[in-house]
Amino acid sequence: MKVFFYVQHLLGVGHLKRAATLARALRASGFEVTLASGGMPIEGIEVLQLPPASSDAAFKQLLDAQGEPVDDAWKARRRDALLAAWRASEADVLMVELFPFGRRQMRFELLPLLDAAKARSRRPLIVSSARDLIQWRPTREQEMLETFERYFDRLLVHGDPAIAAFNFGLADRLAGKLHYTGYVVNHVLQKTDLGSGEVLVSAGGGAVGRPLLEAALVARPLTSLRERPWRLLAGINARESDVASLRERAGPGVLVEHSRHDFTARLANCVISVSQAGYNTVMEILAARARAVVVPFAGGGEVEQTTRARLLVARGLLEMIEEGGLDGGSLATAIERALARPRPAPGDIDLDGAAATARLLRQWR
């Protein structure tokens, strides 16, 4: 069975990482997967690369590979490349990440893609793939619902309803088509002692993580972990100048790097994790059963990370600092609170979302 999976990441890399985890699980279950990505290329993730696009921090302007605003000619080239890839795939399943509950700025290519899929003589199964909490405007919810009803057969929500129900305002109208999979996480926890005894501070993709890393440098001498090694991961998108500045300020016992391929193994062994609160990072933390402090991204009116983090704090699974309240002192205090907590217990949250997605697609097709 062939799956064509469209994903577009704009600011961070979380959407692509989650899609790549799903693609791996589908392939392991015997599916042939084309993962078509419209974001900036990420080393180590194999995709069918469309002309890449990113966004400004407010998600108001699409930018091309050179950081310039896109024009109609660029959009036409992207649309044509996407349609050609779709036709070549001859897929049995079209899976679209987030749309129509997000990625409205990509309608110029997604609506033609969906029209082409729907018009094919042997109609594919058309599925929307979304995380549990989305950012949406009530004024557009009817448009989203109508688009879903026009094109989509199913909605996969990658979350655990015991933690958070899908927060779309008209979710009750999706009854029968909405299916929870559990959270999607890449279960690659190598049995090793890598990172044992260290404090692991990570800034996700690195586009907006520098304040967290700077606060960690201030917090270190204020904590009971001041003699432990601290490893700061600035992210693959962090600017070299920012990394160099952090290295200059880091004292003995503090290592600053861009990223680590053994991140999940180090999570499982660290004394404590300090990170942003992106979907993927939080689920990797819970899968690793790490004690953790998270600082949700709240720029541009974003509330998804904050909402999920609060729900997990209420269940005793991690500690959190609001982005506006982050400084060295507040981070040091939160670290001490997290150290006093037990590690999250296995089974506290459904993390089987990747395997469940494969089971559901096979069942439906």
Side-chain angles (χ1 to χ4, degrees), residues 25-293:
L26 290 172
R27 290 177 182 130
S29 297
F31 291 84
E32 182 179 325
V33 182
T34 298
L35 180 59
S37 172
M40 301 300 289
I42 302 298
E43 183 180 355
I45 299 181
E46 184 179 346
V47 300
L48 187 158
Q49 182 65 58
L50 299 168
S54 61
S55 173
D56 62 339
F59 299 100
K60 293 185 181 298
Q61 177 66 64
L62 278 181
L63 308 175
D64 64 16
Q66 288 72 46
E68 298 296 326
V70 304
D71 56 20
D72 289 341
W74 184 96
K75 290 181 178 181
R77 289 194 299 273
R78 260 279 296 242
R79 179 200 62 217
D80 292 346
L82 176 59
L83 291 175
W86 161 251
R87 287 191 294 268
S89 74
E90 299 181 339
D92 306 290
V93 179
L94 171 60
M95 192 152 68
V96 180
E97 200 264 345
L98 195 54
F99 191 77
F101 307 102
R103 295 294 179 259
R104 190 171 187 270
Q105 62 271 64
M106 312 308 295
R107 287 176 302 162
F108 69 90
E109 63 183 4
L110 285 175
L111 293 179
L113 172 65
L114 291 163
D115 283 329
K118 191 175 178 181
R120 208 174 67 182
S121 57
R122 185 173 178 270
R123 188 185 186 282
L125 178 72
I126 303 178
V127 179
S128 175
S129 165
R131 64 191 181 212
D132 54 343
L133 301 175
I134 59 172
Q135 195 88 1
W136 54 280
R137 294 182 185 179
T139 56
R140 291 181 179 157
E141 63 184 9
Q142 188 61 39
E143 173 191 318
M144 293 176 179
L145 178 64
E146 290 173 358
T147 302
F148 180 84
E149 290 178 334
R150 183 180 309 125
Y151 294 109
F152 290 88
D153 302 301
R154 304 280 182 171
L155 167 62
L156 291 169
V157 174
H158 303 301
D160 181 348
I163 303 295
F166 187 53
N167 66 331
F168 177 56
L170 300 177
D172 59 329
R173 302 272 296 276
L174 303 173
K177 292 188 175 182
L178 188 160
H179 303 266
Y180 291 96
T181 67
Y183 289 100
V184 171
V185 63
N186 188 21
H187 293 276
V188 183
L189 302 175
Q190 306 161 23
K191 293 184 178 179
T192 173
D193 60 357
L194 283 171
S196 180
E198 73 181 14
V199 176
L200 186 60
V201 184
S202 57
V208 293
R210 180 167 176 170
L212 173 62
L213 302 174
E214 292 177 338
L217 293 178
V218 176
R220 185 179 186 239
L222 306 177
T223 72
S224 59
L225 301 174
R226 63 182 69 89
E227 301 302 323
R228 300 281 189 137
W230 286 47
R231 185 181 302 272
L232 276 58
L233 303 180
I236 57 176
N237 291 330
R239 294 181 298 183
E240 288 294 341
S241 58
D242 288 345
V243 174
S245 174
L246 290 164
R247 284 174 176 157
E248 289 177 3
R249 295 176 54 192
V254 179
L255 181 63
V256 180
E257 301 175 293
H258 270 281
S259 62
R260 299 285 308 196
H261 293 299
D262 54 9
F263 177 69
T264 56
R266 291 181 178 276
L267 266 180
N269 296 324
C270 70
V271 177
I272 193 166
S273 165
V274 177
S275 71
Q276 293 187 296
Y279 178 108
N280 298 305
T281 301
V282 169
M283 298 312 145
E284 288 169 343
I285 287 168
L286 296 175
R289 300 184 55 219
R291 295 181 178 90
V293 176

